Amino acid sequence: MRVLITGGAGFIGSHLADAYLQRGDEVFVLDDLSTGSIRNIEHLKEHPRFHYTIDAVQNQPLTAELIDQCDVVVHLAAAVGVKLIVESPVRTIETNVHGTEVVLSLANKKKKKVLIASTSEVYGLSTEVPFREDGNLVMGATTKGRWSYACSKAIDEFLALAYWRERKLPTVVVRLFNTVGPRQTGQYGMVIPTFVRQALAGRPITVYGDGKQTRCFGYVGDVVGALIKLLDHDKAVGEVFNIGSNEEISIVELANRVKELTRSDSEIVFVPYNEAYEEGFEDMPRRIPDTSKVNALVGFRPEMKLEGILRSVIDYQSGRPSSAND
Ligand code: UDP
């Protein structure tokens, strides 16, 4: 199969490229390196079935050409990371909405199957955990920058589903929950690479709020396995799937685990949300996926436990080969 991965030099995209190449497929990456990095695909450059182009999805003639050459499209190119989103809402909205419009309309011309990556952020302030795909999405006020990300991704979902219903373009929507592993950078606010970097440098580990908020962290290797299976499955078309882990941990507990595993002397400090992000910032107290839908269709079960995930990030940041089995 010939696969186009937009955002393929990003954290998740580069792992997906690895997995497709390992399976024997041909991979085309399109990435503008806005948050991705050439380092993530350095090891693939010489691979005979790997091709990459550094440009934006919004370059329509180029994207059209790449879509023509491929059988399926995985659209991962997006503005991600809560810090980036709060700091650059214009870029977030424009990249996420316009980029997806371009990919869907071009793919539609040739009826190439498209997987659209959405996010658990779309559940917003909902407290109906575990979140089910057919549950309500509860958005906060438009004056709070964070929600622009959730809304832009919700529009992407509507558009992908509309293309399927109205124009018979085969689309699959996935809502990715917190995903972690080697190559993820803490630069855009993601908590695990940030805590590991702080702990390894002996700097304070910054827990935002009271640290009682919880998340479930999925391993990138498990997540890309699910994406590949969903793209292969005819019954995934026109559907939305949660993908993530069900192992819940509070952020303060996470800080302690990172400190232990790195044997760090760092102190754990608490930073109010309005200092960390912006005045009036709203966080979600719990975020847990219901993954029964993806499990029923393609047998997805996250294999890697949190300890293995943390070790893989610590190894990566310490410059050691990963001990994780990906
Ligand atoms: N967080 C934190 N310290 C940091 C970065 C993040 O305490 O240096 C918290 C953040 O407020 C959130 C959780 O960790 O409650 C997960 O944050 P992340 O940005 O990784 O993902 P989110 O779930 O918010 O999309």
Side-chain angles (χ1 to χ4, degrees):
M1 204 163 69
R2 292 157 75 90
V3 187
L4 172 62
I5 306 174
T6 73
F11 157 57
I12 299 177
S14 64
H15 283 277
L16 185 65
D18 288 341
Y20 270 122
L21 289 170
Q22 215 157 36
R23 198 175 79 154
D25 298 301
E26 183 150 8
V27 171
F28 294 75
V29 158
L30 174 60
D31 199 302
D32 67 0
L33 301 184
S34 52
T35 55
S37 164
I38 206 79
R39 262 186 66 198
N40 293 340
I41 53 169
E42 202 70 60
H43 63 295
L44 298 177
K45 278 182 170 172
E46 302 303 317
H47 195 293
R49 281 182 282 104
F50 180 76
H51 318 273
Y52 72 100
T53 309
I54 304 305
D55 211 323
V57 163
Q58 284 86 341
N59 180 345
Q60 297 205 32
L62 173 79
T63 304
E65 179 61 32
L66 285 168
I67 289 177
D68 279 0
Q69 286 178 43
C70 291
D71 305 303
V72 295
V73 183
V74 185
H75 180 46
L76 294 171
V80 290
V82 178
K83 217 173 191 69
L84 174 70
I85 286 149
V86 168
E87 282 162 11
S88 316
V90 173
R91 173 171 160 199
T92 302
I93 299 164
E94 288 184 352
T95 306
N96 294 357
V97 177
H98 188 229
T100 302
E101 275 175 347
V102 167
V103 168
L104 289 170
S105 76
L106 295 176
N108 186 51
K109 290 190 182 147
K110 301 288 164 75
K111 297 291 183 230
K112 300 282 173 76
K113 195 188 244 189
V114 186
L115 182 140
I116 296 288
S118 180
T119 164
S120 56
E121 278 277 319
V122 297
Y123 291 104
L125 294 166
S126 170
T127 52
E128 291 169 23
V129 284
F131 297 135
R132 282 173 52 93
E133 292 87 347
D134 55 3
N136 289 328
L137 310 183
V138 185
M139 291 304 143
T142 51
T143 46
K144 302 196 166 152
R146 171 177 205 155
W147 304 117
S148 66
Y149 178 54
C151 283
S152 66
K153 284 292 185 178
I155 286 288
D156 288 353
E157 292 195 19
F158 277 122
L159 198 60
L161 297 173
Y163 262 102
W164 166 240
R165 287 188 194 134
E166 236 180 278
R167 314 238 165 119
K168 290 289 159 259
L169 171 71
T171 58
V172 180
V173 174
V174 295
R175 290 183 183 152
L176 302 179
F177 282 66
N178 298 67
T179 303
V180 193
R183 299 182 202 150
Q184 186 177 39
T185 160
Q187 216 178 331
Y188 308 105
M190 278 80 164
V191 67
I192 288 185
T194 303
F195 281 4
V196 169
R197 199 183 58 234
Q198 291 168 335
L200 289 175
R203 291 204 315 272
I205 299 177
T206 53
V207 171
Y208 298 163
D210 62 9
K212 290 192 182 133
Q213 70 274 28
T214 68
R215 294 294 187 270
C216 302
F217 295 95
Y219 184 58
V220 66
D222 289 333
V223 170
V224 302
L227 299 185
I228 290 175
K229 284 184 181 162
L230 285 171
L231 261 164
D232 284 345
H233 206 301
D234 286 344
K235 291 216 166 73
V237 169
E239 299 286 340
V240 179
F241 298 91
N242 289 333
I243 302 183
S245 148
N246 317 87
E247 197 183 344
E248 186 181 13
I249 185 168
S250 73
I251 298 302
V252 69
E253 175 60 20
L254 179 71
N256 281 306
R257 294 280 286 278
V258 169
K259 190 172 143 103
E260 269 165 41
L261 288 173
T262 50
R263 298 195 183 87
S264 170
D265 294 331
S266 292
E267 63 171 323
I268 295 175
V269 297
F270 291 85
V271 181
Y273 283 119
N274 56 8
E275 273 175 37
Y277 298 109
E278 63 178 354
E279 197 59 44
F281 179 85
E282 284 169 329
D283 202 7
M284 48 284 288
R286 293 179 79 196
R287 179 189 277 168
I288 307 158
D290 180 327
T291 50
S292 49
K293 189 172 169 185
V294 65
N295 182 27
L297 190 71
V298 298
F300 169 75
R301 267 181 206 290
E303 299 285 331
M304 181 80 84
K305 297 280 167 238
L306 185 63
E307 174 151 348
I309 296 175
L310 292 176
R311 286 191 191 283
S312 77
V313 177
I314 295 165
D315 287 346
Y316 176 73
Q317 290 202 12
S318 315
R320 286 194 294 266
S322 176
S323 53
N325 52 356
D326 62 333

